[in-house]
Amino acid sequence: MSPRPRRDKQQSNLQEAIKDTAWKQIAETGAATLSLRAIARELGITAPAIYNYFPDRDALVTALIIEAYTSFGDSQLEARDAIPAENLTGRMLAIGMAYRAWALTHPQRYQLIFGTPLPGYVAPVEQVLPSAARSLSALVSVVDEIRKAGRLNAPDFPEVKDEYKFGFEMWQKFGGNYDLLSLSVATLIWARVHGLVSLEISHNLPPFGANGDGLYLYEMLAVEKQFVKPS
Amino acid sequence: MSPRPRRDKQQSNLQEAIKDTAWKQIAETGAATLSLRAIARELGITAPAIYNYFPDRDALVTALIIEAYTSFGDSQLEARDAIPAENLTGRMLAIGMAYRAWALTHPQRYQLIFGTPLPGYVAPVEQVLPSAARSLSALVSVVDEIRKAGRLNAPDFPEVKDEYKFGFEMWQKFGGNYDLLSLSVATLIWARVHGLVSLEISHNLPPFGANGDGLYLYEMLAVEKQFVKPS
DNA sequence: AAGAATAAATAAACACTGTATATTTATGGT
DNA sequence: ACCATAAATATACAGTGTTTATTTATTCTT
């Protein structure tokens, strides 16, 4: 009648091994060809054994997405903190550059997060939101510092409709509880960065765009010019 | 020894029927669940019969992408031509609005074009380029008119590196042979529009972004402010 | 008109996939 | 030592894209 306590995770860390193998295969052949059976094969176990650690394939993918978001967020926060806190535009630029650098270094992870590389999979927002909000918080925090310094230039920025306030508060909860305007402006900046990077990664930029460095830097400086008043 | 001429296409247009059924299923359950066997089932034929019309599944997908690009391009060109040719900023705004409208009306088609919703599929650029270039040509043409009117404001815009000139010429060939600077600026504008729209479609916009109209219009006006000198 | 040539469909099979069920193995608590 | 249980396996099912061989149907030539 007494249940057997589960085996010490330190010894048999199959859960981690499964994720590691998944990452390895994603890096090799892309997220689209991820296969539970292939993972099991490489680990020398049978496919159904994986179901002891993840209820189904989507759950594994969700775990991978959260890992990717965490790695991405780390990169964003490190980029911010490498620049002195007083240098607000410097921090913003560093975050933007780190964004593209991380995406180009881990294109499969980027597509796993922001694309839909897996048939029928949709990320469960309530599970992913914390790590997603954290990864955006680097940019939001800097925008908010700019705002608090009285240097945020976003006249007539569209307000959040009342019916979306609830969702906003949930986002705020995990994203550092920043000001609503700062959050909105950061979202728009994020969209601009994401637009260029996602097109570059999916090879949908016209050929001259392959000169991604120049175009990207130009865009970053345009963002700064638009949203930050000179000190 | 004499070959039998293939059956009159007007009678047995299975090729079109296959594509139509594919679109129907994409609209119903998304591009990710597209299945040759499901298409065949619905058409009352066997799956291998499809191979008489498309060498493999990827070829069918490529044909669908070209169709989607054509529909998208039509929408872009119609939006432009609905505004008097003298009203350059009006045309630019109309194209931008039509962009989002088409994407929200056909989210699956948009993801089929710009996302990677199918395992392992990569679009063959040489086949897709003509229709892709045509769909961008609406915006490029207006940017070029703005440039010719002396109203294009893009100082220090990054130049195309020599090693990409070849690819650029190929793009130019199908895209209307427009000026290099106009093409480059249009690309950047396209990336901004795509950034917002793709995040909105994939539900990756933070909740306040659900007020997509306001945010999108704000972005369009910012684009105009940045790149077009007042007349 | 008869027969040969060939296009287009089918039938069957292969190698995959995710997943459910039943069964076996191994471990730890009483 | 026994037994409850966790964790693995074996097996099976339904689905996928694709290949091969075979049949059916159509058209051109004689």
Side-chain angles (χ1 to χ4, degrees):
Chain A
M1 207 186 199
S2 58
R4 165 201 187 185
R6 65 180 44 184
R7 195 190 305 186
D8 185 29
K9 300 293 180 50
Q10 294 291 17
Q11 297 180 19
S12 138
N13 52 351
L14 248 188
Q15 176 136 1
E16 286 302 317
I18 289 166
K19 285 195 284 184
D20 289 348
T21 308
W23 280 129
K24 187 182 160 200
Q25 296 189 358
I26 285 174
E28 282 168 1
T29 60
T33 61
L34 192 145
S35 151
L36 293 188
R37 296 185 109 115
I39 293 170
R41 223 177 289 132
E42 188 161 337
L43 284 174
I45 60 176
T46 61
I50 296 180
Y51 285 75
N52 289 315
Y53 302 93
F54 300 95
D56 53 19
R57 194 195 61 151
D58 286 6
L60 169 59
V61 172
T62 299
L64 294 176
I65 286 179
I66 290 172
E67 273 198 4
Y69 260 125
T70 303
S71 154
F72 177 55
D74 289 347
S75 152
Q76 289 284 100
L77 292 168
E78 284 166 17
R80 181 194 64 184
D81 297 338
I83 308 289
E86 317 83 55
N87 186 358
L88 296 177
T89 55
R91 283 193 152 195
M92 195 164 83
L93 194 66
I95 289 171
M97 288 305 184
Y99 189 106
R100 177 164 177 262
W102 189 90
L104 294 186
T105 308
H106 309 287
Q108 290 92 353
R109 298 189 185 208
Y110 192 87
Q111 286 196 319
L112 190 66
I113 292 178
F114 295 114
T116 56
L118 288 157
Y121 173 84
V122 287
V125 62
E126 74 282 0
Q127 291 180 56
V128 171
L129 191 66
S131 56
R134 191 187 82 109
S135 70
L136 186 59
S137 74
L139 176 59
V140 182
S141 70
V142 172
V143 172
D144 201 45
E145 288 297 325
I146 291 171
R147 181 190 61 84
K148 287 197 279 188
R151 294 177 60 196
L152 184 60
N153 181 40
D156 306 318
F157 204 89
E159 283 186 13
V160 177
K161 290 184 182 169
D162 281 342
E163 57 259 46
Y164 301 126
K165 284 260 169 73
F166 170 77
F168 162 72
E169 282 159 13
M170 176 179 286
W171 181 273
Q172 243 179 351
K173 182 179 166 193
F174 295 104
N177 205 36
Y178 290 110
D179 174 75
L180 178 47
L181 176 61
S182 300
L183 202 42
S184 300
V185 169
T187 298
L188 196 56
I189 294 175
W190 174 42
R192 285 172 71 165
V193 164
H194 166 74
L196 269 177
V197 168
S198 71
L199 288 179
E200 185 174 5
I201 280 187
S202 64
H203 305 110
N204 273 118
L205 265 190
F208 48 88
N211 181 5
D213 308 47
L215 208 61
Y216 193 79
L217 184 58
Y218 186 87
E219 177 74 340
M220 303 279 347
L221 296 176
V223 165
E224 181 183 326
K225 201 170 199 172
Q226 176 180 343
F227 286 114
V228 187
K229 300 177 193 161
S231 61
Chain B
M1 206 184 197
S2 57
R4 163 200 186 188
R6 67 179 43 184
R7 195 191 306 186
D8 184 28
K9 302 291 180 52
Q10 294 290 20
Q11 297 181 19
S12 141
N13 51 352
L14 249 187
Q15 174 134 2
E16 286 302 316
I18 290 166
K19 285 196 285 185
D20 289 349
T21 308
W23 279 129
K24 188 181 159 200
Q25 296 189 358
I26 286 174
E28 282 168 2
T29 60
T33 61
L34 191 147
S35 151
L36 293 187
R37 295 185 109 115
I39 293 170
R41 222 176 292 131
E42 189 160 337
L43 284 174
I45 60 176
T46 61
I50 296 180
Y51 285 75
N52 288 315
Y53 302 92
F54 299 96
D56 53 20
R57 194 196 60 151
D58 285 5
L60 169 60
V61 172
T62 299
L64 294 176
I65 286 178
I66 291 172
E67 273 197 5
Y69 260 125
T70 302
S71 154
F72 177 56
D74 289 348
S75 152
Q76 289 285 100
L77 292 168
E78 284 166 16
R80 180 194 65 184
D81 296 339
I83 308 290
E86 316 83 53
N87 186 357
L88 296 177
T89 55
R91 284 192 150 194
M92 196 163 84
L93 194 66
I95 289 170
M97 288 304 185
Y99 189 106
R100 177 165 176 261
W102 188 90
L104 294 186
T105 308
H106 309 287
Q108 291 91 354
R109 298 189 187 208
Y110 193 86
Q111 285 196 319
L112 189 66
I113 292 179
F114 295 114
T116 55
L118 288 156
Y121 173 83
V122 286
V125 63
E126 75 281 1
Q127 291 181 55
V128 171
L129 191 64
S131 56
R134 191 186 82 110
S135 70
L136 187 59
S137 74
L139 176 59
V140 182
S141 70
V142 172
V143 172
D144 201 45
E145 288 296 325
I146 291 170
R147 180 190 61 83
K148 288 196 277 189
R151 294 176 59 196
L152 184 60
N153 181 39
D156 306 320
F157 204 89
E159 284 186 14
V160 176
K161 289 184 183 168
D162 281 342
E163 59 258 45
Y164 301 126
K165 284 260 167 74
F166 169 77
F168 163 71
E169 282 160 14
M170 177 179 286
W171 182 272
Q172 242 179 351
K173 182 179 166 192
F174 296 105
N177 205 35
Y178 291 110
D179 174 77
L180 177 48
L181 177 61
S182 301
L183 201 43
S184 300
V185 170
T187 297
L188 195 57
I189 294 175
W190 174 42
R192 285 172 71 165
V193 164
H194 167 74
L196 268 177
V197 168
S198 71
L199 287 179
E200 187 174 6
I201 280 187
S202 64
H203 306 110
N204 273 117
L205 265 190
F208 48 90
N211 182 5
D213 307 47
L215 208 62
Y216 193 79
L217 184 59
Y218 186 88
E219 178 74 340
M220 303 278 348
L221 295 176
V223 165
E224 181 182 326
K225 201 170 201 173
Q226 177 179 342
F227 286 114
V228 186
K229 300 177 193 161
S231 62

